[in-house]
Amino acid sequence: MPYLFAPPPVVALPVLGADTLFPVRRVYCVGRNYADHAREMGADTREPPFFFSKPRDALVPVAEGHVATVAYPPATDNLQHEVELVVALGPAVAELGRAGQDIPLAQALDAVFGYAVGFDLTRRDHQQRAKDKAQPWEMGKGFDQSGPVGPLLSAARAGHPERGHIWLEVNGERRQSGDLGQMNWPVAAIIANLSTMVRLAPGDLIFTGTPAGVSTILPGDTLVGEVAGVGRLSVTLA
Ligand code: MN
């Protein structure tokens, strides 16, 4: 039967050194995964991991060496940056655990196709109001163009980075600086835990949280973020 209107386009990420694209299914994000950022948000530093989502079409795929332009979103007076390691799950995830559910910790990294650098742009004022009222975070986190993400570097090429500098500069000024080794819940633990709650599938992305130093950004600002051994991501706010 024909569709009533054209289906939405597939959202896909470029893969470094390959002529194929990685099609995205779901976008999960981990909250407060670095103790120093949890503290700056006024939270307990050793809670179990918790998750929220962004719509996949909130992603802004950015090709290698490009500077993406992202619209400053409406309805906020406090847009903030969060630089994050992004994990991309490949075809192997469907063979792990019970077809992507209840994946054992020791096998969790086998689910990873590759890694990228992403920005979890956040309308902090909306998020704070939602927290205060015990309401959902979506309008603070899942707005249009809230997830710029760079090209994927395959684990076959990069390995599985457990340590490495993660930083972000705004207009050349260092705002965030941390190390992947500071994660409360490392990548394997995130995958294993998330798979107890939802069936994970090829194409799923996981934003793994951000180190301390989140701050307000304004129209015209340029953000540059890097994860050592994974890549660099540059975005200008329109
Ligand atoms: Mn985040």
Side-chain angles (χ1 to χ4, degrees), residues 29-32 37 52 82 84 120 122 141 207 209-210:
C29 304
V30 186
R32 301 183 200 123
H37 173 62
F52 59 92
E82 299 187 355
E84 312 207 0
D120 169 15
T122 301
K141 290 288 196 177
F207 282 59
T210 199

Side-chain angles (χ1 to χ4, degrees), residues 66-153:
H66 286 242
V67 181
T69 299
V70 167
Y72 189 92
T76 184
D77 294 316
N78 191 5
L79 182 68
Q80 296 198 351
H81 54 79
E82 299 187 355
V83 60
E84 312 207 0
L85 174 70
V86 178
V87 178
L89 303 186
V93 68
E95 312 299 324
L96 298 172
R98 295 184 298 111
Q101 292 188 82
D102 299 323
I103 298 172
L105 182 64
Q107 296 171 19
L109 289 182
D110 294 344
V112 178
F113 168 78
Y115 298 91
V117 182
F119 295 158
D120 169 15
L121 298 179
T122 301
R123 292 196 282 215
R124 194 72 70 197
D125 41 2
H126 272 260
Q127 185 198 26
Q128 188 57 53
R129 281 197 294 274
K131 286 180 184 177
D132 292 344
K133 296 178 179 176
Q135 291 175 347
W137 287 13
E138 261 78 4
M139 290 300 109
K141 290 288 196 177
F143 52 90
D144 296 338
Q145 299 195 302
S146 60
V149 60
L152 285 172
L153 180 60

Side-chain angles (χ1 to χ4, degrees), residues 17-31:
D19 55 6
T20 48
L21 294 170
F22 178 95
V24 177
R25 188 184 81 121
R26 293 183 181 170
V27 183
Y28 296 103
C29 304
V30 186

Side-chain angles (χ1 to χ4, degrees), residues 5-21:
F5 52 88
V10 173
V11 176
L13 303 182
V15 179
L16 288 169
D19 55 6
T20 48
L21 294 170

Side-chain angles (χ1 to χ4, degrees), residues 142-229:
F143 52 90
D144 296 338
Q145 299 195 302
S146 60
V149 60
L152 285 172
L153 180 60
S154 70
R157 292 176 61 174
H160 297 283
E162 294 180 353
R163 303 194 181 283
H165 196 193
I166 175 170
W167 56 262
L168 180 138
E169 293 178 351
V170 179
N171 304 327
E173 177 192 330
R174 189 65 56 97
R175 299 275 178 91
Q176 292 189 266
S177 182
D179 192 282
L180 299 179
Q182 296 168 328
M183 286 187 192
N184 290 329
W185 300 93
V187 171
I190 292 168
I191 293 169
N193 186 286
L194 183 55
S195 78
T196 67
M197 289 183 278
V198 287
R199 183 188 302 279
L200 297 175
D204 288 348
L205 299 183
I206 307 171
F207 282 59
T208 58
T210 199
V214 299
S215 68
T216 301
I217 45 179
L218 299 169
D221 284 348
T222 295
L223 316 180
V224 178
E226 184 175 294
V227 178

